[in-house]
Every structure is written in C-alpha cells, then in structure tokens.
Amino acid sequence: MRIWVLPTFWTILLDVAVWYVIQMGTAYACTRIPVAYFERSRLFTRVYSFEQNGLWYERYLLVKMWKSKLPDGSRLFRDGFAKKEMRGNHKDYFRRFVIETRRGELAHFLAMLPAPVFFLWSDSVTGMIMIFYAIVINLPCIVAQRYNRIRFNRLVKLRMEK
C-alpha cells in the first residue's frame, strides 16, 4: 500500500512532522468546539459499569501511580483549561473540569484515528510502529481523562446536593 518510497532520514522526519500536525491539529480543533457540546455525556464519554466508579482504573491500570506524570497540553493553547492541578473548589469549576475531560478524551481519541496514513510512505513494520505509537501516546491520556471525570462527577453531585 506504500505510495512513496523515501530514504530513512526523510521518512523519520516526515513521521515526526506529521505526528506533530496530527496531535496539535486535533487538540486545537477540539478547543474550538463549543463548551455546550461537552456538557452532556455522549457515547464515547459515558461512564460504563465495568469502570466501577473509577476502581477498575485503580486496580487494573494503576492509574494513581502514573497519571500525574502525564503532560498537560493546556498551556499550548490560549483557551486551554489546565487539568494537572485543581484551581478551584466550587461546583462550577468541577463542572467545567468534567467538561474539559470530555474535550481532552475526544482530542486524544481523534489523534489516534489518522495513524494508518503512515502506511502511505512507510513500510509495513514502520506503519505498525506508528499505530503502536498512537496508542501508547494517547491511550494513557484517555484513561486519565476518564478516571478524573468519574471522580469529579462525584464531586459535582455532592456539591449540587448541598
């Protein structure tokens, strides 16, 4: 399926450049989606029973051990919402945090989808490495977003009950 055959140096350079454009492009595009779109759960952001209110992520993926080591890309964009540390303690902040985890989850999911494009100029081994890269780079961020959203949903509900 390879359309272009490039020397190794140019293949690596193209791979890095294309990944940069994909990651930044999807992140930027998702920051342009109105907040209202993320106010309710959709199919991909719905909390499922297997997640056991976040316990599944703690038990099987040990999310508490590594999630703080993930980068927060919010500083890359003017309208970014930092999720690395809490910056508020009221229900509106918690609600917005939940919304932004949905936005982040969508951005990381969308960033994985174009991975097969690398087969256009890469051999099959390199193409598979690019798919592996997409998963390894984005899936931990999706897991952290889901885990944090479950926790913050509980906080929002508690605040609303008060």
Side-chain angles (χ1 to χ4, degrees), residues 17-37:
V18 170
W19 271 126
Y20 179 80
V21 169
I22 289 170
Q23 292 288 156
M24 293 301 110
T26 55
Y28 179 75
C30 286
T31 65
R32 309 306 340 139
I33 299 172
V35 169
Y37 177 82

Side-chain angles (χ1 to χ4, degrees), residues 3-23:
I3 293 175
W4 303 293
V5 178
L6 301 171
T8 303
F9 172 79
W10 292 109
T11 299
I12 293 169
L13 195 63
L14 184 59
D15 289 349
V16 169
V18 170
W19 271 126
Y20 179 80
V21 169
I22 289 170
Q23 292 288 156

Side-chain angles (χ1 to χ4, degrees), residues 56-101:
W56 189 86
Y57 296 111
E58 291 175 19
R59 282 187 196 140
Y60 301 108
L61 301 180
L62 307 174
V63 69
K64 283 185 171 183
M65 291 175 57
W66 52 263
K67 75 179 187 81
S68 64
K69 294 171 178 48
L70 294 174
D72 184 351
S74 65
R75 292 186 188 137
L76 298 174
F77 302 103
R78 182 179 39 135
D79 298 330
F81 183 90
K83 294 175 289 302
K84 189 103 173 157
E85 57 191 47
M86 285 183 46
R87 297 189 180 188
N89 193 20
H90 49 87
K91 77 173 183 182
D92 289 337
Y93 175 80
F94 291 156
R95 193 177 139 275
R96 180 64 189 265
F97 194 102
V98 167
I99 286 169
E100 294 303 326
T101 62

Side-chain angles (χ1 to χ4, degrees), residues 136-156:
V136 167
I137 292 301
N138 290 289
L139 197 56
C141 297
I142 291 170
V143 167
Q145 300 289 352
R146 294 191 68 78
Y147 175 73
N148 286 336
R149 182 168 54 256
I150 291 168
R151 289 179 42 227
F152 273 82
N153 270 332
R154 284 193 306 245
L155 290 172
V156 169

